[in-house]
């Protein structure tokens, strides 16, 4: 991970987690995981804006992946209060699971998780892993799309002038007169 | 064939199979749950096969099948990265999304599929180049061959 990638990746992660966790707003994820793609896109846009050099597609992919990692972490943490506040959602999930034809072992395992309100350690770990897998696919794509769309510099960009030296230059030693 | 390219084709093929399978085989209906967080799965907005809807909507089908098609075409013959075309297709997709909420003009399923499909096809060389560069940055051992030389065109 390069310098200055951390802040854009964290902001991208906040976009992913915030958009995907907040009720009503998270509806946008039905459009091909739009919040997750948008998180990667925002991360690469911010990095391109700050970078004096041309940003490569590889940088975009790395930014998207880092944003996915941050987003999974924030998203899992942010989901805890929403799960506590909205117990009705678990009933909806249970209803949906029962209407679908699936292997009995899988159904009973998921129902057990849902019955615990999704707040068990296993539930949170599973949620983190699911977020991470989805994020690594879609946010990485978002990061690459961001660079493909927003990076318009054709050459390597312009490097800023080097900072002034911290140690002042030593004046030349002049022998005292009369020597 | 390069290792990353093979992994991408294999992954995309599995993904597309998981989309089609619930429509072809009733026992695989539970696969639809995997796509529930990614797509609204409204049957009226989905392709139907064998009397059942696919696991994702028309637009999402366009994205995923376009990516697979792009990967397969690219394996046969590498094509250039075209940023302006990608931007144009993205604008078309966003206009279509806006239209589906605003209802300004009648919605067209073929247009919805084609715009998403072409966007994914033109995105393919960017994804391959991006993943090669990212994995090369992480360590030369991650890529078994040097970076492909993909030309970049403005349109």
């Amino acid at each position: 991970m390069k310098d200055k990638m951390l802040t854009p990746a964290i902001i991208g992660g906040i976009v992913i987690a915030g958009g995907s966790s907040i009720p009503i707003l998270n509806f946008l994820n039905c459009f091909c995981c739009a919040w997750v793609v948008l998180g990667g896109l925002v991360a690469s846009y911010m990095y391109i804006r700050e970078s004096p050099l041309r940003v490569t597609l590889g940088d975009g992919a790395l930014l998207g992946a880092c944003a996915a990692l941050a987003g999974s972490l924030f998203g899992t943490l942010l989901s805890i209060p929403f799960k506590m506040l909205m117990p009705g959602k678990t009933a909806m999930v249970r209803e949906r699971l029962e209407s679908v034809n699936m292997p009995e072992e899988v159904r009973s395992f998921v129902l057990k998780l849902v019955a615990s309100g999704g707040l068990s350690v296993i539930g949170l770990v599973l949620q983190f892993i699911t977020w991470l897998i989805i994020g690594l696919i879609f946010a990485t794509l978002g990061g690459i799309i961001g660079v493909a769309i927003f990076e318009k510099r054709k050459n390597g960009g312009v490097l800023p002038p080097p900072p002034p030296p911290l140690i002042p230059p030593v004046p030349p030693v002049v022998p005292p007169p009369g020597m | 064939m390069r290792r990353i390219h093979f992994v991408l084709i294999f992954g995309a093929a599995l993904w597309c199979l998981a989309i089609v399978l619930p429509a072809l085989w009733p026992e695989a209906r539970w696969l639809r749950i995997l796509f529930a967080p990614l797509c609204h799965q409204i049957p009226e907005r989905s392709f139907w096969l064998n009397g059942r809807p696919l696991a994702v909507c028309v637009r999402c089908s366009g994205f995923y099948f376009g990516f697979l098609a792009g990967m397969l075409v690219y394996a046969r013959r590498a094509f250039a990265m075209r940023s302006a075309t990608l931007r144009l297709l993205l604008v078309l997709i966003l206009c279509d999304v806006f239209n589906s909420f605003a209802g300004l003009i009648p919605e067209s399923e073929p247009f919805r599929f084609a715009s998403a499909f072409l966007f994914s096809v033109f995105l393919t060389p960017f994804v391959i180049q991006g993943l090669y560069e990212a994995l090369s940055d992480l360590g030369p051992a991650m890529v078994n061959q040097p970076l492909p030389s993909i030309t970049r065109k403005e349109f």
Side-chain angles (χ1 to χ4, degrees):
Chain A
M1 195 165 164
K2 294 179 184 172
D3 291 346
K4 295 180 183 172
M5 267 193 181
L6 190 65
T7 313
I10 287 176
I11 292 174
I14 290 171
V15 170
I16 294 172
S20 307
S21 301
I22 297 170
I24 300 172
L25 271 185
N26 61 7
F27 177 73
L28 205 63
N29 265 347
C30 285
F31 174 63
C32 279
C33 262
W35 279 115
V36 186
V37 177
L38 205 66
L41 215 108
V42 166
S44 59
Y45 173 73
M46 288 188 65
Y47 187 66
I48 289 166
R49 216 180 48 174
E50 294 294 318
S51 173
L53 292 171
R54 188 174 182 279
V55 178
T56 63
L57 291 163
D59 292 336
L62 277 180
L63 272 166
C66 294
L69 188 66
S72 336
L73 196 66
F74 298 150
T76 308
L77 294 176
L78 202 62
S79 69
I80 296 172
F82 282 114
K83 275 181 181 159
M84 289 164 82
L85 289 171
M86 299 179 72
K89 199 175 176 188
T90 53
M92 197 179 73
V93 173
R94 184 198 300 264
E95 198 175 294
R96 185 159 186 184
L97 276 175
E98 278 167 358
S99 69
V100 173
N101 181 20
M102 65 194 298
E104 199 49 50
E105 303 82 42
V106 180
R107 191 205 312 271
S108 61
F109 176 70
V110 178
L111 277 175
K112 211 180 282 176
L113 276 180
V114 172
S116 68
L119 272 178
S120 62
V121 177
I122 299 174
L124 288 175
V125 169
L126 275 180
Q127 187 180 346
F128 175 78
I129 292 170
T130 313
W131 273 77
L132 193 61
I133 292 169
I134 292 175
L136 281 177
I137 296 171
F138 288 93
T140 305
L141 275 178
I144 291 173
I145 293 171
V147 174
I149 287 171
F150 298 123
E151 181 55 88
K152 291 174 182 170
R153 290 169 287 193
K154 283 185 180 162
N155 49 12
V158 183
L159 269 176
L166 291 172
I167 305 163
V170 181
V173 180
V174 181
M179 284 210 41
Chain B
M1 192 188 294
R2 292 177 180 90
R3 196 187 301 159
I4 296 175
H5 202 160
F6 176 77
V7 170
L8 284 173
I9 289 179
F10 184 71
L14 268 184
W15 190 275
C16 291
L17 187 69
I19 290 171
V20 176
L21 215 55
L24 294 176
W25 188 35
E27 295 300 312
R29 263 185 65 200
W30 61 275
L31 277 172
R32 283 178 67 84
I33 289 181
L34 296 182
F35 293 96
L38 313 178
C39 180
H40 52 71
Q41 299 181 312
I42 298 173
E44 296 81 39
R45 285 174 172 257
S46 307
F47 283 129
W48 285 62
L49 201 65
N50 210 19
R52 282 181 283 270
L54 297 191
V56 291
C57 69
V58 170
R59 188 181 289 122
C60 291
S61 303
F63 282 128
Y64 301 138
F65 286 104
F67 190 72
L68 178 61
M71 284 291 163
L72 292 172
V73 170
Y74 194 87
R76 189 97 181 129
R77 187 170 173 221
F79 50 92
M81 295 189 282
R82 295 171 187 274
S83 303
T85 312
L86 202 68
R87 278 185 216 121
L88 178 73
L89 287 164
L90 185 65
V91 169
L92 282 179
I93 291 168
L94 292 176
C95 287
D96 186 49
V97 172
F98 176 74
N99 183 52
S100 54
F101 287 107
L104 298 176
I105 51 170
E107 294 182 55
S108 159
E109 300 290 305
F111 175 78
R112 186 170 289 157
F113 179 77
S115 55
F117 186 90
L118 286 175
F119 178 81
S120 279
V121 169
F122 280 98
L123 184 65
T124 308
F126 289 98
V127 173
I128 292 172
Q129 180 80 8
L131 289 181
Y132 262 101
E133 285 176 4
L135 293 175
S136 304
D137 283 353
L138 291 177
M142 299 289 283
V143 283
N144 58 342
Q145 284 184 31
L147 276 170
S149 56
I150 305 174
T151 51
R152 188 162 184 163
K153 292 182 179 175
E154 200 40 46
F155 199 84

